[in-house]
Amino acid sequence: MKIKTLGLTGLTLALAIALPSVGNAAPERYVIDTEGAHAFIQFRVKHLGYSWLYGRFNNFEGHFTYDPDDTKSSNVELTIQTASIDSNHAERDKHLRDDEFLDVSKYPTASFKSTSYRETGLNKAVLEGELTLKGITKPVTIKVEKIGSGPDPWGGYRRGFQGSTEFALKDFGIDYDLGPASRKVEMILTVEGIRQ
């Protein structure tokens, strides 16, 4: 009876194949699906305290990483084309693009870069980061809801989140007097990423 020995190299290879890797999984990288229009950056501001004015930015791009085994290492980066602001009213949008508001000729982009991500409950998290708008960078806190993840019909894998935050317009150099009820803006970010 012959006993075949693998040797050290063969044994190592056999174990590597047979045993699942532990702690070696790299964070998942996702590109935000703006091409398929499955991501949105929206905002709302009170109009005279009587109603809400809604709008969005049509052109932006970004990416995020997410590690299910170490969610604290997750991060996101976004770049927004400020001239793409759209409040469903051409004359108002023209005013929002001028120097009293976004001053898009001088500041064509806004950006967000996260600094920390902390889960706070089932499908809930807090994302901290720095928002740069009109040339001013300030910290913001975004409340995050995990929407879902899984395979798509085209052979890919997707993961989606929604976040919201609020900040004073004056903090970013926008001090046009819209009345006391209109000094803050709410931002709503909905992102669906395609795993790379």
Side-chain angles (χ1 to χ4, degrees), residues 45-189:
V45 180
K46 282 187 178 176
H47 180 246
L48 305 175
Y50 308 141
S51 64
W52 288 101
L53 184 154
Y54 284 81
R56 65 185 188 184
F57 290 94
N58 291 327
N59 298 327
F60 62 94
E61 60 184 10
H63 61 269
F64 64 88
T65 62
Y66 185 81
D67 186 345
D69 298 323
D70 181 20
T71 57
K72 295 188 297 297
S73 68
S74 304
N75 64 76
V76 61
E77 290 188 30
L78 287 166
T79 301
I80 303 164
Q81 304 299 318
T82 54
S84 72
I85 193 167
D86 182 353
S87 68
N88 199 35
H89 190 281
E91 286 302 310
R92 178 170 55 224
D93 293 343
K94 184 178 178 181
H95 190 199
L96 292 174
R97 292 183 186 111
D98 73 18
D99 59 0
E100 290 182 317
F101 287 93
L102 295 177
D103 199 359
V104 302
S105 61
K106 189 174 181 181
Y107 306 104
T109 62
S111 64
F112 173 81
K113 185 174 183 179
S114 67
T115 55
S116 71
Y117 179 85
R118 175 173 52 89
E119 293 192 338
T120 57
L122 181 62
N123 295 326
K124 303 290 184 185
V126 172
L127 182 69
E128 304 278 354
E130 293 187 336
L131 174 65
T132 300
L133 178 64
K134 206 173 180 181
I136 298 169
T137 301
K138 297 274 187 180
V140 295
T141 300
I142 300 174
K143 294 179 181 178
V144 175
E145 177 185 2
K146 290 193 285 185
I147 304 299
S149 61
D152 63 26
W154 308 283
Y157 189 91
R158 294 173 182 250
R159 190 177 292 276
F161 300 85
Q162 180 165 298
S164 62
T165 189
E166 180 183 85
F167 54 84
L169 291 167
K170 191 173 181 180
D171 288 349
F172 292 92
I174 302 171
D175 55 6
Y176 188 85
D177 188 9
L178 297 169
S182 306
R183 291 174 181 159
K184 290 186 175 181
V185 61
E186 293 183 23
M187 299 287 293
I188 304 100
L189 303 96

Side-chain angles (χ1 to χ4, degrees), residues 1-44:
M1 179 177 170
K2 291 185 178 179
I3 299 175
K4 188 175 181 180
T5 59
L6 288 172
L8 185 58
T9 304
L11 182 59
T12 303
L13 180 60
L15 286 172
I17 293 170
L19 297 175
S21 59
V22 178
N24 291 331
E28 301 170 353
R29 178 178 166 81
Y30 293 81
V31 170
I32 295 172
D33 185 14
T34 54
E35 186 175 334
H38 295 123
F40 304 89
I41 297 179
Q42 299 168 301
F43 63 87
R44 68 177 191 168

